[in-house]
Every structure is written in structure tokens, then in C-alpha cells.
Amino acid sequence: MKPPNSPAASVPAHILDMASRLAGLPGIRAVALGGSRARGAHRPDSDWDLGLYYRGTPDVAALTALASEVQGAPAEVAGPGGWGRWVDGGAWLRVDGVAVDWILRDLDRVEAVWEDCREGRFEVGVQPGHPLGFWSPAYPGEVAAGRVLADPWGELTALQERTRHYPEPLRTALVEAAWEADFSVAAARKSAPAGDTLHVALCLSRAFGVLAQSLHAHHRVWCLNEKGATAAAAALPDTPADYADRVGAVLRGLDGAAVEQAAELVREVRSALAPGA
């Protein structure tokens, strides 16, 4: 992964200017680049994901006016809670033919989640767009992996320094959470004989989602969402061979044999996660 704050020369001037103007709006405290462009894993047509960190109540009218200006067409900005409890709100824009996403983040809440993570506490919340739930450690993970573009008060930069050190209590809690993968496979085993493919698919997907979180935590790596999580987990040391291919085969099968293949994969992962393994 590239350093989160590698030289800003790789960020176009109009994105830097946008970040600066956003940070000057009422309530916005900092702006960070996230997603594949922050990681250096982007394609030329990849979105520009900008996290808008605010305190209190951001000025949605001012955000809407700026969004419409930079897009060159009327834009809609969802205020806090407009996109759900965890994703919060923001805007999907098109600027110079490329998608630019604004994503609101309540800095007070992000800091509170970080403190929970330091104590080994986390939540998994229902959230549109996150079929396996939104895992609260994604908040500090986004800060750790992002590139701060505008931070007039230095608050986000200071938080980023802290989040670069993965909390050991969180690591322990997320590794121990792998028990749920076994539980989910057992639930799928009950539904497979009846041909209830929806329930089997949901249970097995949940099991693999949990394993992705546990594998990342085991190696003190932040897991931000389900997208790309299986491939990322497969690339980590000690993950069972052909992990991603085996997950794909199970989710294509969704029958009794697939459930037993999933059970074996869960056993192998939990063995790799065991202390002293």
C-alpha cells in the first residue's frame, strides 16, 4: 500500500481545489481521499472518493451549491443519515466525465468508534449497500488508509497517526469472531436438503464475510468493506491455498456438497488463526 499522504502531485489540481473549498464550508473539518485512488490500486476511470469529515451539522445547502457548481449541473446532496446510519450521506457527482463521490463522516462518531476499537469493541450495523453489514472498524480503517487532502485544524491528520497502529484488543475480538462462520455454516447445512438456496447463500456469504474480517485482523490489516475482501484475504499470509477459488466454487454450488466444502474451508481458516499456528 502506498503511504497515505504520498505527494499530492498525483492528485489533479481540480480535486485539490475541490477539497480545499469543501474544508472551508461550515461544519466540514477535513477532506480525505479514499478508495482505490488512495491505495494506488485505481484504473484511469476509477472514482474519486472524498471523505468529508464534519462536526455538528454540515451546511447541506452550501454543499449542494458547491456540488452543482463543480458538476456544472444541478446536484443532490444527502445530509447526515440520508444514506443510512453508517454510510451517513453525501453526493454522487460527475466532474469532467469522471465520477466523484462525496461521503459524509461525522468526525465525533469516527473518534468514538476508534476509542471502542482500542478497547476491542465493534458493531455490525444494517446498512444499504453493505449486504454483510457495516463493520464499525471501517471508520478508523478509512482514516488509516486515506490521504488527507485538506485539514485546516490538523484533527484528521492527528487521528490518522493514531489509527496506523492496529489495536491488539480489536485484533483479538475480530479473530475470535470467526466462531460465527461455523455457526453460519451449520445453519446452511439445515437448509441445503430443502433446496432453500437463498438461505444457504446468505449463510455461506456471511460465513466468508466473517472470515475476511478475522483474517485481516489477524494480520493487523484494516478491512473496509465486502468489496474485494475475499481477494484481499486470499493474498494474506497463512490463508489456505486457492482460498478465493474455493469460496467462489462454494457460492456457485449452494448445495449439500458446497456446504461441506465451506465447512472444511472454515476449519482450515480457524486453524490458521489459532494461537501459535
Side-chain angles (χ1 to χ4, degrees):
M1 179 183 295
K2 284 187 176 181
N5 286 316
S6 53
S10 60
V11 179
H14 73 281
I15 295 293
L16 292 173
D17 178 68
M18 187 187 303
S20 178
R21 295 180 67 184
L22 283 165
L25 296 181
I28 306 299
R29 305 294 291 185
V31 178
L33 176 66
S36 62
R37 290 191 180 274
R39 299 192 306 272
H42 59 282
R43 303 184 310 272
D45 62 343
S46 292
D47 297 357
W48 289 91
D49 295 323
L50 299 183
L52 280 53
Y53 290 83
Y54 68 91
R55 293 195 192 275
T57 303
D59 189 333
V60 176
L63 285 167
T64 301
L66 180 56
S68 300
E69 178 186 338
V70 299
Q71 181 170 253
E76 181 178 346
V77 176
W83 284 352
R85 182 169 178 263
W86 287 98
V87 172
D88 208 357
W92 292 339
L93 309 176
R94 297 289 298 183
V95 179
D96 295 335
V98 178
V100 178
D101 297 341
W102 293 358
I103 304 169
L104 292 176
R105 287 286 183 261
D106 183 338
L107 189 51
D108 289 329
R109 188 179 184 196
V110 172
E111 290 174 338
V113 168
W114 165 242
E115 292 304 319
D116 282 343
C117 289
R118 292 181 61 208
E119 299 296 326
R121 298 188 299 272
F122 66 92
E123 296 180 58
V124 184
V126 174
Q127 172 60 52
H130 288 262
L132 298 181
F134 189 99
W135 293 62
S136 62
Y139 274 178
E142 289 171 343
V143 175
R147 290 180 55 184
V148 178
L149 300 183
D151 187 17
W153 290 271
E155 296 171 309
L156 190 62
T157 301
L159 179 59
Q160 186 176 72
E161 287 299 319
R162 299 195 294 275
T163 59
R164 286 176 179 166
H165 303 281
Y166 198 99
E168 286 302 308
L170 179 65
R171 177 178 182 260
T172 298
L174 286 174
V175 168
E176 290 178 350
W179 71 268
E180 189 186 337
D182 270 323
F183 190 91
S184 294
V185 169
R189 186 177 284 120
K190 294 180 180 181
S191 295
D196 189 347
T197 55
L198 174 59
H199 188 246
V200 173
L202 291 171
C203 289
L204 297 184
S205 295
R206 177 70 182 182
F208 294 136
V210 170
L211 292 185
Q213 293 285 343
S214 297
L215 284 164
H216 278 78
H218 179 65
H219 293 286
R220 302 175 180 85
V221 176
W222 296 103
C223 184
L224 303 186
N225 56 45
E226 306 100 327
K227 188 177 179 180
T230 296
L236 293 169
D238 307 322
T239 299
D242 302 319
Y243 178 78
D245 289 340
R246 293 169 69 184
V247 168
V250 166
L251 295 178
R252 286 190 296 272
L254 299 179
D255 55 10
V259 170
E260 298 313 315
Q261 292 165 9
E264 176 58 28
L265 192 50
V266 170
R267 282 192 291 270
E268 291 179 29
V269 170
R270 295 198 68 185
S271 177
L273 295 174

